[in-house]
Amino acid sequence: IINGLIARYDYKSYLEIGVNTPAQPGYNWVGVTAEIKHGVDPNVDTTYKMTSDDFFEKHVTQKYDIVFVDGLHIFEQAYRDIVNSLANLNENGIIVVHDCNPVTEITQRRVRASDAWHGDVWKAIVKLRIENPDLDICTVNTDEGCGIIKKGKQQLLVVDENTDVNDYSFLEKNRKDALNLISVSEFKQKYF
């Protein structure tokens, strides 16, 4: 997804929040084809070895064409990373958010309880789908859900005021609408 978007839109600058090491699953840093690549992670020797909050508060020096959010898999942090990324995104830029479509309850818990851990990142996508008409948001149904966010327009997700949108049962019952879940082929049609 990332390299496809870089090639399609001639993106030059890339920011990765949460950089895995080569030994970890999901390591993609070396393969990203952008001319300018910056990584932010407090536990990995990368461009900015610090938290994303610290980076956005004190160290960001440019806007980015594409941002990959895959840091701490907790709703509040993922949401802050998305909001901060939007503030530092070039006009035609895109944010890719990993782990937005956990398929089992245990992997979306806030405290890791299984080998796979996606945390409750999905709640950030739902919040943005409910509150932000000026964003274009979808989630590609691949690799545990890759959220795609760009500036634009969306039809807001409307939910009953008595609905707990932060309960996993809400996601199970409303996955397609809540995440604006699309297939890989639908993603390719929309973006390529």
Side-chain angles (χ1 to χ4, degrees), residues 78-98:
Y79 183 78
R80 276 197 313 273
D81 287 342
I82 294 166
V83 169
N84 286 328
S85 295
L86 283 165
N88 293 284
L89 191 66
N90 284 323
E91 194 57 37
N92 67 337
I94 290 178
I95 299 169
V96 179
V97 184
H98 195 230

Side-chain angles (χ1 to χ4, degrees), residues 3 6 11-14 31-37 66:
N3 282 334
I6 289 170
Y11 287 157
K12 305 292 184 208
S13 55
Y14 170 74
V32 173
T33 58
E35 292 175 17
I36 299 167
K37 294 193 302 187
I66 186 164

Side-chain angles (χ1 to χ4, degrees), residues 97-111:
V97 184
H98 195 230
D99 299 303
C100 297
N101 187 24
V103 294
T104 61
E105 186 278 333
I106 195 168
T107 67
Q108 67 87 53
R109 292 180 186 171
R110 292 174 61 87
V111 176

Side-chain angles (χ1 to χ4, degrees), residues 46 59 76 112 190:
T46 188
H59 300 281
E76 296 86 354
R112 188 178 200 138
K190 181 174 180 171

Side-chain angles (χ1 to χ4, degrees), residues 25-152:
Y27 177 70
N28 64 346
W29 179 260
V30 171
V32 173
T33 58
E35 292 175 17
I36 299 167
K37 294 193 302 187
H38 293 162
V40 177
D41 195 301
N43 301 311
V44 176
D45 190 18
T46 188
T47 319
Y48 297 94
K49 188 174 182 177
M50 61 188 63
T51 66
S52 55
D53 289 339
D54 191 34
F55 169 74
F56 283 117
E57 183 180 328
K58 302 174 188 169
H59 300 281
V60 68
T61 59
Q62 70 174 76
K63 292 193 178 236
Y64 294 91
D65 293 322
I66 186 164
V67 178
F68 182 46
V69 176
D70 193 21
L72 184 60
H73 295 169
I74 300 295
F75 157 68
E76 296 86 354
Q77 187 63 56
Y79 183 78
R80 276 197 313 273
D81 287 342
I82 294 166
V83 169
N84 286 328
S85 295
L86 283 165
N88 293 284
L89 191 66
N90 284 323
E91 194 57 37
N92 67 337
I94 290 178
I95 299 169
V96 179
V97 184
H98 195 230
D99 299 303
C100 297
N101 187 24
V103 294
T104 61
E105 186 278 333
I106 195 168
T107 67
Q108 67 87 53
R109 292 180 186 171
R110 292 174 61 87
V111 176
R112 188 178 200 138
S114 64
D115 288 342
W117 183 51
H118 309 110
D120 58 353
V121 172
W122 65 270
K123 294 175 186 175
I125 298 297
V126 170
K127 181 175 176 60
L128 291 165
R129 294 254 310 116
I130 290 171
E131 297 177 355
N132 294 82
D134 58 344
L135 297 177
D136 181 0
I137 302 172
C138 63
T139 301
V140 184
N141 193 9
T142 188
D143 197 25
E144 303 300 338
C146 291
I148 308 293
I149 302 171
K150 67 178 193 166
K151 297 171 186 171

